[in-house]
Amino acid sequence: LRSADHIHLLAMRRAFPVASYLFYALNNMDRRAFLIDNVGGMLSEQASWIGEKDVLVAISYQDYSPEVVNLVERMHGQGVPIIAITDELLSPLVQLANVSFQVEDATVHDFRSLGASLCLAQALVIALGHQLAGRAERSGA
């Protein structure tokens, strides 16, 4: 994430709060992050801004959002680096991603928590912050 020109965050339905948190946190770290939210059915238009020097962070859990899977397939075909946050090694996102994280959120009856997913998102942001701080120290900034 530290060397990407832009970070594009993609999630639908239950996974959307995780992407929303990452968008908030990354922008507070002065990283150029964009939330692909499909508002108004503009998914293709929002995705058209993704370049080969960018990275796509895609988040989806079983029953994987077809919009997310289709866009990840398209971006993979265009050579865009992809980071996946998902729930299983058999997720359709894993085989398309350069890096994938599998998260097992707690389930109570039909309610699935996002606790573990949000902890992972926070850990990724903290790790990036440490890397950026170290790079700033080395450059004398």
Side-chain angles (χ1 to χ4, degrees), residues 1-123:
L1 292 177
R2 70 174 184 252
S3 62
D5 284 353
H6 303 102
I7 303 163
H8 299 269
L9 303 156
L10 171 66
M12 304 283 167
R13 298 191 293 267
R14 175 175 96 85
F16 188 77
V18 181
S20 181
Y21 167 76
L22 285 168
F23 173 73
Y24 167 79
L26 292 168
N27 275 290
N28 277 323
M29 295 172 60
D30 293 326
R31 299 299 302 161
R32 299 208 53 166
F34 299 94
L35 185 59
I36 301 173
D37 55 15
N38 196 26
V39 168
M42 302 290 283
L43 184 65
S44 291
E45 289 79 3
Q46 290 176 324
S48 70
W49 291 93
I50 302 173
E52 60 188 34
K53 292 183 179 180
D54 297 342
V55 66
L56 174 63
V57 178
I59 308 161
S60 191
Y61 310 106
Q62 197 171 33
D63 304 312
Y64 309 98
S65 170
E67 299 92 347
V68 172
V69 174
N70 291 338
L71 185 56
V72 168
E73 288 173 344
R74 190 170 114 208
M75 293 299 109
H76 175 77
Q78 294 177 12
V80 173
I82 298 165
I83 298 171
I85 298 175
T86 190
D87 56 355
E88 294 186 24
L89 281 173
L90 297 176
S91 163
L93 301 182
V94 171
Q95 66 185 1
L96 301 168
N98 300 77
V99 175
S100 66
F101 297 93
Q102 289 79 47
V103 179
E104 186 176 339
D105 283 308
T107 302
V108 177
H109 301 289
D110 288 335
F111 176 78
R112 294 181 290 182
S113 164
L114 288 173
S117 294
L118 287 168
C119 284
L120 172 62
Q122 288 178 325

